[in-house]
Coordinates of all heavy atoms in Angstrom, one line a residue:
M69 N 31.5 -25.3 -63.8 CA 31.4 -26.8 -64.0 C 30.8 -27.5 -62.8 O 31.1 -27.1 -61.7 CB 32.8 -27.3 -64.3 CG 32.9 -28.8 -64.7 SD 34.4 -29.3 -65.4 CE 35.5 -29.2 -64.0
K70 N 30.0 -28.4 -63.1 CA 29.3 -29.1 -62.0 C 30.2 -30.2 -61.3 O 30.9 -30.9 -62.0 CB 28.0 -29.8 -62.5 CG 27.0 -30.3 -61.5 CD 25.7 -30.4 -62.1 CE 24.6 -31.1 -61.2 NZ 24.8 -31.0 -59.8
H71 N 30.1 -30.3 -60.0 CA 30.9 -31.2 -59.3 C 30.4 -32.6 -59.4 O 29.2 -32.8 -59.3 CB 30.9 -30.8 -57.8 CG 32.1 -31.2 -57.1 ND1 33.1 -30.3 -56.7 CD2 32.6 -32.4 -56.8 CE1 34.1 -30.9 -56.1 NE2 33.8 -32.2 -56.1
K72 N 31.2 -33.6 -59.7 CA 30.8 -35.0 -59.9 C 31.6 -35.9 -59.0 O 32.8 -35.6 -58.8 CB 31.0 -35.4 -61.3 CG 29.9 -34.9 -62.2 CD 28.6 -35.7 -62.1 CE 27.6 -35.2 -63.0 NZ 26.3 -35.8 -62.8
Y73 N 31.0 -36.9 -58.5 CA 31.8 -37.9 -57.7 C 31.8 -39.2 -58.5 O 31.5 -39.2 -59.6 CB 31.1 -38.1 -56.3 CG 31.1 -36.8 -55.5 CD1 30.0 -35.9 -55.6 CD2 32.2 -36.5 -54.7 CE1 30.1 -34.7 -54.9 CE2 32.3 -35.3 -54.1 CZ 31.2 -34.4 -54.1 OH 31.3 -33.2 -53.4
L74 N 32.4 -40.2 -57.9 CA 32.5 -41.5 -58.6 C 31.1 -42.0 -59.0 O 30.1 -41.9 -58.2 CB 33.2 -42.5 -57.7 CG 34.6 -42.2 -57.4 CD1 35.2 -43.2 -56.4 CD2 35.5 -42.1 -58.6
D75 N 31.0 -42.7 -60.1 CA 29.7 -43.2 -60.6 C 29.3 -44.4 -59.7 O 30.1 -45.2 -59.3 CB 29.9 -43.7 -62.0 CG 29.9 -42.6 -63.0 OD1 29.6 -41.4 -62.6 OD2 30.3 -42.8 -64.2
D76 N 28.0 -44.4 -59.4 CA 27.3 -45.5 -58.7 C 27.9 -45.9 -57.4 O 27.9 -47.1 -57.1 CB 27.3 -46.7 -59.7 CG 26.6 -46.4 -61.0 OD1 25.6 -45.6 -60.9 OD2 27.0 -46.9 -62.0
V77 N 28.4 -45.0 -56.6 CA 28.9 -45.4 -55.3 C 28.1 -44.7 -54.2 O 28.2 -45.2 -53.0 CB 30.4 -45.0 -55.1 CG1 31.3 -45.8 -56.1 CG2 30.7 -43.5 -55.2
A78 N 27.4 -43.7 -54.4 CA 26.6 -43.0 -53.4 C 25.6 -44.0 -52.8 O 25.0 -44.8 -53.5 CB 25.9 -41.8 -53.9
T79 N 25.4 -43.9 -51.4 CA 24.5 -44.9 -50.7 C 23.1 -44.3 -50.7 O 22.2 -44.9 -50.1 CB 25.0 -45.1 -49.3 OG1 25.1 -43.8 -48.6 CG2 26.4 -45.8 -49.3
L80 N 22.9 -43.3 -51.4 CA 21.5 -42.6 -51.4 C 20.4 -43.5 -52.0 O 20.6 -44.1 -53.0 CB 21.7 -41.3 -52.2 CG 20.4 -40.5 -52.3 CD1 20.1 -39.8 -51.0 CD2 20.6 -39.4 -53.4
S81 N 19.3 -43.5 -51.3 CA 18.1 -44.2 -51.8 C 16.9 -43.5 -51.4 O 16.8 -42.8 -50.4 CB 18.1 -45.7 -51.4 OG 17.9 -45.8 -50.0
L82 N 15.8 -43.6 -52.2 CA 14.6 -42.9 -51.9 C 13.4 -43.9 -52.0 O 13.3 -44.7 -53.0 CB 14.4 -41.9 -53.0 CG 13.1 -41.2 -53.2 CD1 12.8 -40.3 -51.9 CD2 13.1 -40.3 -54.4
S83 N 12.5 -43.8 -51.0 CA 11.3 -44.6 -51.0 C 10.2 -43.8 -51.5 O 9.6 -42.9 -50.7 CB 11.0 -45.2 -49.6 OG 9.8 -45.8 -49.6
C84 N 9.8 -43.9 -52.8 CA 8.8 -43.0 -53.3 C 7.4 -43.2 -52.6 O 6.6 -42.2 -52.6 CB 8.6 -43.3 -54.8 SG 10.1 -42.8 -55.8
D85 N 7.2 -44.4 -52.1 CA 5.9 -44.6 -51.4 C 5.7 -43.7 -50.2 O 4.6 -43.3 -49.9 CB 5.8 -46.0 -50.9 CG 5.6 -47.0 -52.1 OD1 5.3 -46.5 -53.2 OD2 5.8 -48.2 -51.9
K86 N 6.8 -43.4 -49.5 CA 6.8 -42.5 -48.3 C 6.8 -41.0 -48.6 O 6.5 -40.2 -47.8 CB 8.0 -42.8 -47.4 CG 8.0 -44.2 -46.8 CD 9.2 -44.4 -45.9 CE 9.3 -45.7 -45.3 NZ 10.5 -45.9 -44.5
C87 N 7.2 -40.7 -49.8 CA 7.3 -39.2 -50.2 C 6.0 -38.5 -50.3 O 5.0 -39.0 -50.9 CB 8.0 -39.1 -51.5 SG 8.2 -37.4 -52.1
V88 N 5.9 -37.3 -49.6 CA 4.7 -36.5 -49.7 C 4.9 -35.3 -50.5 O 4.0 -34.4 -50.5 CB 4.2 -36.2 -48.2 CG1 3.8 -37.4 -47.5 CG2 5.3 -35.4 -47.5
G89 N 6.0 -35.1 -51.2 CA 6.2 -34.0 -52.1 C 6.4 -32.7 -51.4 O 6.2 -31.6 -52.1
C90 N 7.0 -32.6 -50.2 CA 7.2 -31.4 -49.5 C 8.3 -30.5 -50.1 O 8.4 -29.3 -49.8 CB 7.4 -31.6 -48.0 SG 9.0 -32.4 -47.7
E91 N 9.2 -31.1 -50.8 CA 10.3 -30.4 -51.5 C 11.4 -30.0 -50.6 O 12.3 -29.2 -51.0 CB 9.8 -29.2 -52.3 CG 8.8 -29.6 -53.4 CD 8.5 -28.5 -54.3 OE1 9.2 -27.4 -54.3 OE2 7.5 -28.6 -55.1
K92 N 11.4 -30.5 -49.3 CA 12.5 -30.2 -48.4 C 13.8 -30.7 -49.0 O 14.9 -30.0 -48.8 CB 12.3 -30.8 -47.0 CG 11.3 -30.1 -46.2 CD 11.8 -28.8 -45.6 CE 10.8 -28.1 -44.7 NZ 11.1 -26.7 -44.6
C93 N 13.8 -31.8 -49.6 CA 15.1 -32.4 -50.1 C 15.7 -31.5 -51.2 O 16.9 -31.3 -51.3 CB 14.9 -33.8 -50.6 SG 13.5 -34.0 -51.7
T94 N 14.8 -30.9 -52.0 CA 15.3 -30.1 -53.1 C 15.9 -28.7 -52.5 O 16.8 -28.1 -53.0 CB 14.3 -29.7 -54.1 OG1 13.2 -29.1 -53.5 CG2 13.7 -31.0 -54.8
E95 N 15.3 -28.3 -51.4 CA 15.8 -27.1 -50.7 C 17.1 -27.2 -50.1 O 17.9 -26.3 -50.1 CB 14.7 -26.6 -49.7 CG 13.4 -26.2 -50.3 CD 12.3 -26.0 -49.2 OE1 12.7 -25.8 -48.0 OE2 11.1 -26.0 -49.6
V96 N 17.3 -28.4 -49.4 CA 18.6 -28.5 -48.6 C 19.7 -29.1 -49.4 O 20.9 -29.0 -49.0 CB 18.3 -29.3 -47.3 CG1 17.2 -28.6 -46.5 CG2 17.9 -30.7 -47.6
C97 N 19.5 -29.8 -50.4 CA 20.6 -30.5 -51.1 C 21.4 -29.5 -51.9 O 20.9 -28.7 -52.7 CB 20.0 -31.5 -52.1 SG 21.4 -32.3 -53.1
P98 N 22.7 -29.5 -51.6 CA 23.6 -28.5 -52.2 C 24.0 -28.8 -53.6 O 24.5 -28.0 -54.3 CB 24.9 -28.5 -51.3 CG 24.9 -29.9 -50.7 CD 23.4 -30.3 -50.6
H99 N 23.6 -30.0 -54.1 CA 24.0 -30.4 -55.4 C 22.9 -30.7 -56.4 O 23.1 -31.3 -57.4 CB 25.0 -31.6 -55.3 CG 26.3 -31.2 -54.8 ND1 27.3 -32.1 -54.5 CD2 26.9 -30.0 -54.6 CE1 28.4 -31.5 -54.1 NE2 28.1 -30.2 -54.1
G100 N 21.7 -30.3 -56.0 CA 20.6 -30.5 -56.9 C 20.3 -32.0 -57.3 O 20.0 -32.3 -58.5
V101 N 20.5 -32.9 -56.3 CA 20.3 -34.3 -56.6 C 18.8 -34.7 -56.9 O 18.6 -35.6 -57.6 CB 20.9 -35.1 -55.5 CG1 20.6 -36.6 -55.6 CG2 22.4 -34.9 -55.4
F102 N 17.9 -34.0 -56.2 CA 16.5 -34.3 -56.3 C 15.7 -33.4 -57.2 O 16.0 -32.2 -57.3 CB 15.8 -34.3 -54.9 CG 16.4 -35.3 -54.0 CD1 17.4 -35.0 -53.0 CD2 15.9 -36.6 -54.0 CE1 17.8 -36.0 -52.2 CE2 16.3 -37.6 -53.1 CZ 17.3 -37.3 -52.2
V103 N 14.7 -33.9 -57.7 CA 13.6 -33.1 -58.4 C 12.3 -33.6 -57.8 O 12.2 -34.7 -57.4 CB 13.6 -33.2 -59.9 CG1 14.8 -32.6 -60.5 CG2 13.4 -34.6 -60.3
V104 N 11.3 -32.7 -57.7 CA 10.0 -33.0 -57.3 C 9.1 -32.7 -58.5 O 9.0 -31.6 -58.9 CB 9.5 -32.3 -56.0 CG1 8.1 -32.7 -55.7 CG2 10.4 -32.7 -54.8
D105 N 8.3 -33.7 -58.9 CA 7.4 -33.6 -60.0 C 6.1 -34.3 -59.7 O 6.2 -35.5 -59.2 CB 8.1 -34.2 -61.3 CG 7.4 -33.8 -62.5 OD1 6.7 -32.7 -62.5 OD2 7.5 -34.5 -63.5
N106 N 5.0 -33.7 -59.9 CA 3.7 -34.3 -59.7 C 3.6 -34.8 -58.2 O 3.1 -35.9 -58.0 CB 3.4 -35.4 -60.6 CG 3.1 -34.9 -62.0 OD1 2.5 -33.8 -62.2 ND2 3.6 -35.6 -63.0
G107 N 4.2 -34.0 -57.3 CA 4.0 -34.3 -55.9 C 4.9 -35.5 -55.4 O 4.7 -36.0 -54.3
K108 N 5.9 -35.9 -56.2 CA 6.8 -37.0 -55.7 C 8.2 -36.6 -56.1 O 8.5 -36.1 -57.1 CB 6.5 -38.3 -56.4 CG 5.2 -38.9 -56.0 CD 5.3 -39.6 -54.6 CE 4.0 -40.3 -54.2 NZ 4.1 -40.8 -52.8
A109 N 9.1 -36.9 -55.1 CA 10.5 -36.7 -55.3 C 11.1 -37.8 -56.2 O 10.6 -38.9 -56.2 CB 11.3 -36.6 -54.0
A110 N 12.2 -37.4 -56.9 CA 12.9 -38.4 -57.7 C 14.4 -38.1 -57.6 O 14.7 -36.9 -57.5 CB 12.4 -38.5 -59.1
I111 N 15.2 -39.1 -57.6 CA 16.7 -38.8 -57.7 C 17.0 -38.5 -59.1 O 16.9 -39.4 -60.0 CB 17.5 -40.0 -57.1 CG1 17.1 -40.3 -55.7 CG2 19.0 -39.8 -57.3 CD1 17.7 -41.6 -55.1
F112 N 17.5 -37.3 -59.3 CA 17.8 -36.8 -60.6 C 19.2 -37.0 -61.0 O 19.6 -37.2 -62.2 CB 17.4 -35.3 -60.7 CG 17.8 -34.5 -61.9 CD1 17.2 -34.8 -63.1 CD2 18.9 -33.6 -61.8 CE1 17.7 -34.1 -64.2 CE2 19.3 -32.9 -62.9 CZ 18.7 -33.1 -64.1
D113 N 20.1 -36.8 -60.0 CA 21.6 -36.9 -60.3 C 22.3 -37.5 -59.1 O 23.0 -36.8 -58.4 CB 22.1 -35.5 -60.6 CG 23.5 -35.4 -61.1 OD1 24.1 -36.5 -61.3 OD2 24.0 -34.3 -61.2
K114 N 22.2 -38.8 -59.0 CA 22.7 -39.5 -57.8 C 24.3 -39.4 -57.8 O 24.8 -39.3 -56.7 CB 22.3 -41.0 -57.9 CG 22.8 -41.8 -56.7 CD 22.2 -43.2 -56.8 CE 22.6 -44.0 -55.6 NZ 22.0 -45.4 -55.6
N115 N 24.9 -39.3 -58.9 CA 26.4 -39.3 -58.9 C 26.9 -37.9 -58.3 O 28.1 -37.8 -58.1 CB 26.9 -39.5 -60.3 CG 26.7 -41.0 -60.7 OD1 26.6 -41.8 -59.8 ND2 26.6 -41.2 -62.0
S116 N 26.0 -36.9 -58.1 CA 26.5 -35.7 -57.5 C 26.3 -35.7 -56.0 O 26.6 -34.7 -55.4 CB 25.7 -34.5 -58.1 OG 26.0 -34.3 -59.5
C117 N 25.7 -36.7 -55.5 CA 25.5 -36.8 -54.0 C 26.8 -37.0 -53.3 O 27.6 -37.9 -53.6 CB 24.6 -38.0 -53.7 SG 24.4 -38.3 -51.9
M118 N 27.1 -36.1 -52.3 CA 28.3 -36.2 -51.5 C 28.0 -36.8 -50.1 O 28.9 -36.7 -49.2 CB 29.0 -34.8 -51.4 CG 28.1 -33.8 -50.6 SD 29.1 -32.3 -50.4 CE 27.9 -31.3 -49.4
E119 N 26.9 -37.4 -50.0 CA 26.5 -38.1 -48.7 C 26.6 -37.2 -47.5 O 27.1 -37.7 -46.4 CB 27.4 -39.4 -48.6 CG 27.1 -40.4 -49.7 CD 27.9 -41.6 -49.6 OE1 29.1 -41.6 -49.2 OE2 27.4 -42.7 -50.0
C120 N 26.2 -36.0 -47.6 CA 26.2 -35.1 -46.4 C 25.1 -35.4 -45.4 O 25.2 -35.0 -44.3 CB 26.1 -33.6 -46.9 SG 24.5 -33.2 -47.6
G121 N 24.0 -36.0 -45.9 CA 22.9 -36.4 -45.0 C 21.8 -35.4 -44.8 O 20.9 -35.6 -44.1
A122 N 22.0 -34.2 -45.4 CA 21.0 -33.1 -45.1 C 19.6 -33.5 -45.6 O 18.6 -33.2 -44.9 CB 21.4 -31.8 -45.8
C123 N 19.5 -34.1 -46.7 CA 18.2 -34.5 -47.2 C 17.5 -35.5 -46.3 O 16.3 -35.3 -46.0 CB 18.3 -35.1 -48.6 SG 19.4 -36.5 -48.7
A124 N 18.2 -36.5 -45.9 CA 17.6 -37.5 -45.0 C 17.2 -36.9 -43.6 O 16.1 -37.2 -43.1 CB 18.5 -38.7 -44.8
K125 N 18.0 -36.0 -43.1 CA 17.7 -35.3 -41.8 C 16.4 -34.5 -41.9 O 15.7 -34.3 -41.0 CB 18.9 -34.5 -41.4 CG 19.9 -35.3 -40.7 CD 21.0 -34.3 -40.1 CE 22.1 -35.2 -39.5 NZ 23.3 -34.4 -39.4
N126 N 16.2 -33.9 -43.1 CA 15.1 -32.9 -43.2 C 13.9 -33.5 -43.8 O 12.8 -32.8 -43.9 CB 15.6 -31.7 -44.1 CG 16.5 -30.8 -43.3 OD1 16.0 -30.0 -42.5 ND2 17.8 -31.0 -43.5
C127 N 13.9 -34.7 -44.3 CA 12.7 -35.4 -44.9 C 11.7 -35.8 -43.7 O 12.1 -36.5 -42.8 CB 13.1 -36.6 -45.6 SG 11.7 -37.5 -46.3
P128 N 10.5 -35.2 -43.8 CA 9.6 -35.5 -42.7 C 9.0 -36.9 -42.6 O 8.4 -37.2 -41.6 CB 8.5 -34.4 -42.9 CG 8.5 -34.2 -44.4 CD 10.0 -34.4 -44.8
T129 N 9.2 -37.6 -43.6 CA 8.6 -39.0 -43.7 C 9.6 -40.1 -43.7 O 9.3 -41.2 -44.0 CB 7.6 -39.1 -44.9 OG1 8.4 -38.9 -46.1 CG2 6.5 -38.1 -44.8
S130 N 10.9 -39.7 -43.5 CA 12.0 -40.7 -43.6 C 12.0 -41.5 -44.9 O 12.3 -42.7 -45.0 CB 11.9 -41.7 -42.4 OG 12.0 -41.0 -41.2
A131 N 11.7 -40.8 -46.0 CA 11.7 -41.4 -47.3 C 13.1 -41.6 -47.9 O 13.3 -42.4 -48.9 CB 10.8 -40.6 -48.3
I132 N 14.0 -40.9 -47.3 CA 15.4 -40.9 -47.9 C 16.3 -41.6 -46.9 O 16.3 -41.4 -45.7 CB 15.9 -39.4 -48.1 CG1 15.0 -38.7 -49.1 CG2 17.3 -39.4 -48.6 CD1 15.2 -37.2 -49.1
S133 N 17.2 -42.4 -47.5 CA 18.2 -43.1 -46.8 C 19.6 -42.8 -47.4 O 19.7 -42.9 -48.6 CB 17.9 -44.6 -46.8 OG 19.0 -45.3 -46.2
V134 N 20.5 -42.4 -46.5 CA 21.9 -42.2 -47.0 C 22.9 -42.4 -45.9 O 22.5 -42.1 -44.7 CB 22.1 -40.8 -47.7 CG1 21.9 -39.7 -46.7 CG2 23.4 -40.7 -48.4
K135 N 24.0 -43.1 -46.1 CA 25.0 -43.2 -45.1 C 25.8 -42.0 -45.0 O 26.8 -41.8 -45.8 CB 25.9 -44.4 -45.4 CG 25.3 -45.8 -45.0 CD 26.3 -46.8 -45.2 CE 25.7 -48.2 -44.9 NZ 26.7 -49.3 -45.3
A136 N 25.4 -41.1 -44.1 CA 26.2 -39.8 -44.0 C 27.4 -40.0 -43.1 O 27.5 -40.9 -42.3 CB 25.3 -38.8 -43.4
G137 N 28.4 -39.2 -43.4 CA 29.6 -39.2 -42.6 C 30.6 -40.3 -43.0 O 31.5 -40.6 -42.3
V138 N 30.4 -40.8 -44.2 CA 31.4 -41.7 -44.8 C 31.8 -41.2 -46.1 O 31.2 -40.3 -46.7 CB 30.8 -43.1 -44.9 CG1 30.5 -43.7 -43.6 CG2 29.6 -43.1 -45.8
G139 N 32.9 -41.7 -46.6 CA 33.3 -41.4 -48.0 C 34.1 -40.1 -48.1 O 34.6 -39.6 -47.1
C140 N 34.2 -39.6 -49.3 CA 35.2 -38.6 -49.6 C 34.9 -37.3 -48.9 O 35.8 -36.6 -48.4 CB 35.2 -38.3 -51.1 SG 35.8 -39.7 -52.0
A141 N 33.6 -36.9 -48.8 CA 33.2 -35.6 -48.2 C 33.7 -35.6 -46.8 O 34.3 -34.6 -46.3 CB 31.7 -35.4 -48.4
Y142 N 33.4 -36.6 -46.1 CA 33.7 -36.7 -44.6 C 35.3 -36.7 -44.5 O 35.8 -36.0 -43.6 CB 33.2 -38.0 -44.1 CG 33.5 -38.2 -42.6 CD1 32.8 -37.4 -41.6 CD2 34.4 -39.1 -42.2 CE1 33.1 -37.6 -40.3 CE2 34.7 -39.2 -40.8 CZ 34.0 -38.5 -39.9 OH 34.3 -38.6 -38.6
A143 N 36.0 -37.4 -45.4 CA 37.4 -37.4 -45.3 C 38.0 -36.0 -45.5 O 38.9 -35.6 -44.8 CB 38.0 -38.4 -46.3
V144 N 37.5 -35.3 -46.5 CA 38.0 -34.0 -46.8 C 37.8 -33.1 -45.6 O 38.7 -32.3 -45.2 CB 37.4 -33.4 -48.1 CG1 37.7 -32.0 -48.2 CG2 37.9 -34.2 -49.3
I145 N 36.6 -33.1 -45.0 CA 36.2 -32.3 -43.9 C 37.1 -32.6 -42.7 O 37.6 -31.7 -42.0 CB 34.7 -32.4 -43.5 CG1 33.9 -31.8 -44.6 CG2 34.4 -31.7 -42.2 CD1 32.4 -32.1 -44.6
V146 N 37.4 -33.8 -42.4 CA 38.2 -34.2 -41.3 C 39.6 -33.7 -41.5 O 40.3 -33.1 -40.6 CB 38.3 -35.7 -41.1 CG1 39.4 -36.2 -40.2 CG2 37.0 -36.2 -40.6
G147 N 40.1 -33.7 -42.8 CA 41.4 -33.2 -43.1 C 41.5 -31.7 -42.8 O 42.5 -31.2 -42.3
W148 N 40.4 -31.0 -43.2 CA 40.4 -29.5 -42.9 C 40.4 -29.2 -41.5 O 41.2 -28.4 -41.0 CB 39.1 -28.9 -43.5 CG 39.0 -28.8 -45.0 CD1 40.0 -28.8 -45.9 CD2 37.8 -28.6 -45.7 NE1 39.6 -28.6 -47.1 CE2 38.2 -28.5 -47.1 CE3 36.5 -28.5 -45.4 CZ2 37.3 -28.4 -48.1 CZ3 35.5 -28.4 -46.4 CH2 36.0 -28.3 -47.8
L149 N 39.6 -30.0 -40.7 CA 39.5 -29.7 -39.3 C 40.7 -30.0 -38.5 O 41.1 -29.4 -37.5 CB 38.3 -30.4 -38.7 CG 36.9 -30.0 -39.2 CD1 35.8 -30.9 -38.6 CD2 36.6 -28.5 -38.8
T150 N 41.4 -31.1 -38.9 CA 42.6 -31.5 -38.2 C 43.9 -30.9 -38.8 O 45.0 -31.1 -38.1 CB 42.7 -33.0 -38.2 OG1 42.9 -33.5 -39.6 CG2 41.5 -33.7 -37.6
G151 N 43.8 -30.3 -39.9 CA 45.0 -29.8 -40.6 C 45.9 -30.9 -41.1 O 47.1 -30.7 -41.5
G152 N 45.4 -32.1 -41.2 CA 46.2 -33.2 -41.7 C 45.7 -33.7 -43.1 O 44.9 -33.0 -43.8
E153 N 46.0 -34.9 -43.4 CA 45.6 -35.5 -44.7 C 44.1 -35.9 -44.6 O 43.7 -36.2 -43.5 CB 46.4 -36.7 -45.0 CG 47.9 -36.5 -45.3 CD 48.0 -35.7 -46.6 OE1 47.4 -36.0 -47.6 OE2 48.8 -34.7 -46.6
P154 N 43.4 -35.8 -45.7 CA 42.0 -36.3 -45.7 C 42.0 -37.8 -45.2 O 42.8 -38.6 -45.6 CB 41.6 -36.2 -47.1 CG 42.5 -35.2 -47.7 CD 43.8 -35.3 -47.0
S155 N 41.1 -38.1 -44.2 CA 41.0 -39.4 -43.7 C 39.5 -39.7 -43.3 O 39.0 -38.8 -42.6 CB 41.9 -39.6 -42.5 OG 41.6 -40.9 -41.9
C156 N 39.0 -40.8 -43.7 CA 37.6 -41.1 -43.3 C 37.7 -41.8 -41.9 O 36.6 -42.1 -41.3 CB 36.9 -42.0 -44.3 SG 37.7 -43.6 -44.5
D157 N 38.9 -42.1 -41.4 CA 39.0 -42.7 -40.1 C 38.3 -44.0 -40.0 O 37.7 -44.4 -39.0 CB 38.5 -41.7 -39.0 CG 39.1 -42.0 -37.6 OD1 40.2 -42.7 -37.6 OD2 38.6 -41.6 -36.6
C158 N 38.3 -44.8 -41.1 CA 37.5 -46.1 -41.1 C 38.3 -47.2 -40.5 O 37.8 -48.3 -40.3 CB 37.1 -46.4 -42.5 SG 38.6 -46.7 -43.6
G159 N 39.5 -47.0 -40.1 CA 40.3 -48.0 -39.4 C 41.2 -48.8 -40.4 O 42.0 -49.6 -39.9
L160 N 41.1 -48.6 -41.7 CA 41.9 -49.3 -42.6 C 43.3 -48.7 -42.6 O 43.4 -47.5 -42.4 CB 41.3 -49.3 -44.0 CG 40.0 -50.0 -44.2 CD1 39.5 -49.8 -45.7 CD2 40.2 -51.5 -44.0
T161 N 44.3 -49.5 -42.8 CA 45.7 -49.0 -42.8 C 46.0 -48.4 -44.1 O 46.9 -47.6 -44.3 CB 46.7 -50.1 -42.4 OG1 46.5 -51.2 -43.3 CG2 46.5 -50.5 -40.9
E162 N 45.3 -48.9 -45.2 CA 45.6 -48.3 -46.5 C 44.5 -47.4 -46.9 O 43.4 -47.4 -46.3 CB 45.7 -49.5 -47.5 CG 46.8 -50.4 -47.3 CD 46.8 -51.5 -48.3 OE1 46.2 -51.3 -49.4 OE2 47.5 -52.5 -48.1
C163 N 44.8 -46.5 -47.8 CA 43.9 -45.5 -48.3 C 42.6 -46.3 -48.8 O 42.7 -47.3 -49.6 CB 44.5 -44.7 -49.4 SG 43.3 -43.5 -50.0
C164 N 41.4 -45.8 -48.4 CA 40.2 -46.4 -49.0 C 39.6 -45.4 -49.9 O 38.5 -45.6 -50.3 CB 39.3 -46.7 -47.8 SG 38.9 -45.3 -46.8
Ligands
SF4_204 S1 11.9 -34.3 -48.3 FE1 11.1 -36.4 -48.3 S2 8.8 -36.2 -48.3 FE2 9.7 -34.2 -48.9 S3 9.8 -34.3 -51.2 FE3 11.8 -35.0 -50.4 S4 11.6 -37.2 -50.3 FE4 9.6 -36.4 -50.5
SF4_205 S1 23.1 -36.5 -49.0 FE1 23.5 -34.3 -49.3 S2 24.3 -34.2 -51.4 FE2 23.4 -36.2 -51.2 S3 21.3 -36.0 -52.0 FE3 21.2 -35.6 -49.7 S4 21.5 -33.4 -49.4 FE4 22.1 -33.9 -51.5

């Protein structure tokens, strides 16, 4: 079964004008969010994006923007590393 996150909350965006079709984003994305067709990337499945930031870091033309290190993925990883509850450490006193 494919992993899904909340609908329409991922901060991922793509500037097609900057894309040179190198396919790095399709290689590094663990969830198959991108496809490259006719030399241009497109966001195929935005709701599967966990905002890890790998695509933006590896894009040679800065065509991809995503706020990495926020949201559920970051919170779960912090929980693993600290042995505590998942927390995004955003400073809110209530669960975000
Ligand atoms: S990594 Fe960047 S330039 Fe390469 S295909 Fe993806 S969006 Fe386009
Ligand atoms: S941030 Fe991570 S999960 Fe989201 S599209 Fe980029 S590589 Fe894929």
Side-chain angles (χ1 to χ4, degrees):
M69 188 166 66
K70 193 161 174 19
H71 210 110
K72 284 282 181 188
Y73 296 92
L74 296 173
D75 285 349
D76 300 324
V77 297
T79 57
L80 179 71
S81 65
L82 169 67
S83 173
C84 292
D85 290 345
K86 293 182 181 176
C87 176
V88 295
C90 71
E91 302 190 9
K92 283 284 181 203
C93 52
T94 61
E95 292 168 20
V96 300
C97 178
H99 287 172
V101 170
F102 294 97
V103 292
V104 175
D105 193 25
N106 287 325
K108 289 285 182 184
I111 296 174
F112 169 70
D113 188 6
K114 186 172 179 177
N115 291 333
S116 290
C117 174
M118 63 176 186
E119 297 181 322
C120 69
C123 54
K125 277 188 185 157
N126 286 281
C127 176
T129 62
S130 302
I132 300 168
S133 170
V134 64
K135 280 189 184 173
V138 296
C140 298
Y142 181 74
V144 168
I145 291 167
V146 167
W148 286 341
L149 293 176
T150 62
E153 290 295 314
S155 169
C156 65
D157 203 21
C158 65
L160 295 177
T161 54
E162 293 180 19
C163 179
C164 55

